[in-house]
């Protein structure tokens, strides 16, 4: 299952962007939170492990 961002918990810090090996995550400047391109996500879990706010899930 592709990564999902819990927008209410995401602070837009960008840690997940840096950890994503396929560049499937960007920070939406308007919303101030991460957005995952589900078509590009390889479901590796790196973003989930890296997120300091536990705002990303792959379950």
């Amino acid at each position: 299952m592709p990564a999902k961002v819990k927008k209410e918990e995401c602070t837009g810090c960008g840690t997940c962007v840096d950890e994503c090996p396929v560049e499937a995550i960007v920070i939406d400047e308007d919303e101030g939170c991460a957005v995952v391109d589900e078509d590009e996500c390889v479901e590796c879990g790196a973003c989930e492990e890296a997120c300091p706010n536990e705002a990303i899930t792959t379950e």
Side-chain angles (χ1 to χ4, degrees):
M1 174 179 198
K4 301 281 186 196
V5 177
K6 298 179 235 174
K7 292 183 179 186
E8 65 279 353
E9 296 180 29
C10 179
T11 61
C13 70
T15 301
C16 57
V17 175
D18 295 337
E19 291 299 316
C20 182
V22 294
E23 300 178 358
I25 307 172
V26 296
I27 300 298
D28 182 316
E29 297 296 329
D30 293 332
E31 293 190 37
C33 67
V35 177
V36 177
D37 181 336
E38 293 183 7
D39 292 331
E40 295 295 320
C41 179
V42 294
E43 305 172 27
C44 68
C47 58
E48 182 177 26
E49 289 181 27
C51 181
N53 300 309
E54 299 180 356
I56 299 180
T57 183
T58 54
E59 297 179 356

